[in-house]
């Protein structure tokens, strides 16, 4: 019996990922990752000052474009990293299977997307405008906390599902998959720090 991935991802993530791979659902996986990318783009740009001076049409178009690009980059970069680093951990997965597993990995972000879109629709440019000096947020505190909790929820579940998905693709345990995931996170943090250090040194 075929699983409904939107339900089974919460209780049977390994079987859901395996179903995607066995049924060669690469196209669906990329589509899901791009949809999830809309949510990650919204939270990344929250109160950043970006998009705050655009009209409604420009705002929603920019969110859509940023989300699709974010999803495509996610598939490309993370597929490469999870596959390559997973092999260093003793895995035997390939890039196609890893790319196919990316959609299930990002499903938690799809589940919170409708709420984020409603909030953006209500607050519009205010959602993206940078807070005033010394202000925590320019959104109502309840809305700010709601977005924070939703983002945290999606991030934690994404880490759990990603660890299991990496394990499925590479044929090792979820704990080793978690090690691959944390290695990638560490690399991203290191590269980001080196970039900002280099930028500061260049500006001095």
């Amino acid at each position: 019996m075929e699983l409904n991935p939107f339900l089974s991802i919460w209780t049977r993530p390994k079987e859901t990922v395996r179903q995607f791979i066995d049924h060669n659902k690469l196209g669906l996986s990329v589509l899901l990752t791009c949809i999830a990318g809309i949510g990650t783009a919204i939270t990344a740009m929250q109160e950043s000052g970006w998009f705050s001076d655009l009209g409604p049409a420009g705002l929603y178009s920019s969110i859509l474009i940023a989300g699709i690009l974010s999803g495509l980059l996610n598939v490309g970069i993370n597929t490469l990293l999870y596959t390559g680093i997973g092999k260093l951990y003793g895995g035997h997965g390939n890039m196609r299977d890893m790319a196919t597993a990316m959609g299930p990995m990002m499903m938690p972000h799809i589940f919170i997307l409708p709420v984020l879109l409603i909030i953006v629709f209500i607050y519009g440019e205010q959602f993206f405008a940078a807070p005033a000096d010394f202000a925590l947020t320019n959104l109502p505190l309840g809305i700010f906390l709601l977005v924070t909790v939703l983002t945290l929820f999606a991030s934690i579940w994404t880490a759990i599902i990603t660890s299991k998905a990496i394990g499925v693709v590479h044929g090792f345990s979820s704990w080793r998959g978690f090690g691959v995931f944390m290695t990638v996170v560490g690399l991203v943090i290191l590269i980001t720090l080196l970039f900002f250090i280099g930028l500061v040194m260049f500006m001095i």
Side-chain angles (χ1 to χ4, degrees):
M1 180 177 177
E2 187 166 328
L3 300 172
N4 181 338
F6 293 98
L7 300 177
S8 62
I9 194 63
W10 304 104
T11 57
R12 301 169 67 183
K14 287 186 175 182
E15 292 88 340
T16 304
V17 171
R18 175 52 59 192
Q19 178 175 285
F20 264 67
I21 294 172
D22 290 345
H23 290 80
N24 194 27
K25 294 186 177 182
L26 177 58
L28 175 60
S29 182
V30 173
L31 175 62
L32 291 174
T33 308
C34 288
I35 294 172
I38 296 173
T40 56
I42 288 173
T43 54
M45 300 303 173
Q46 178 187 350
E47 299 183 294
S48 64
W50 290 36
F51 303 160
S52 59
D53 57 348
L54 300 175
L59 175 63
Y60 296 123
S61 298
S62 298
I63 291 173
L64 179 61
I65 293 171
I68 292 172
L69 291 176
S70 172
L72 293 175
L73 286 172
N74 189 7
V75 172
I77 295 173
N78 284 338
T79 294
L80 180 63
L81 291 174
Y82 291 152
T83 304
I85 294 174
K87 289 182 182 296
L88 296 178
Y89 277 73
H92 53 72
N94 59 68
M95 291 187 65
R96 183 178 183 85
D97 286 351
M98 190 63 74
T100 305
M102 289 301 301
M105 293 181 197
M106 298 303 295
M107 279 187 179
H109 289 279
I110 295 177
F111 274 84
I112 70 170
L113 178 59
V115 180
L116 294 176
L117 290 174
I118 291 171
I119 293 173
V120 169
F121 179 78
I122 293 172
Y123 292 96
E125 297 175 8
Q126 181 183 348
F127 184 88
F128 299 99
D133 292 340
F134 306 111
L136 174 64
T137 177
N138 57 5
L139 293 170
L141 184 58
I143 297 298
F144 174 79
L145 292 176
L146 175 62
V147 173
T148 301
V149 170
L150 287 175
T151 304
L152 183 62
F153 165 83
S155 299
I156 291 173
W157 266 102
T158 296
I160 294 170
I161 295 170
T162 298
S163 300
K164 293 180 179 294
I166 292 172
V168 169
V169 173
H170 280 298
F172 50 48
S173 70
S174 300
W175 281 109
R176 194 174 295 187
F178 181 68
V180 174
F181 173 74
M182 291 307 297
T183 301
V184 172
V185 171
L187 282 174
V188 171
I189 293 173
L190 178 61
I191 292 171
T192 303
L193 286 174
L194 290 175
F195 172 79
F196 280 107
I197 290 171
L199 183 64
V200 170
M201 293 180 66
F202 176 78
M203 295 176 64
I204 293 177

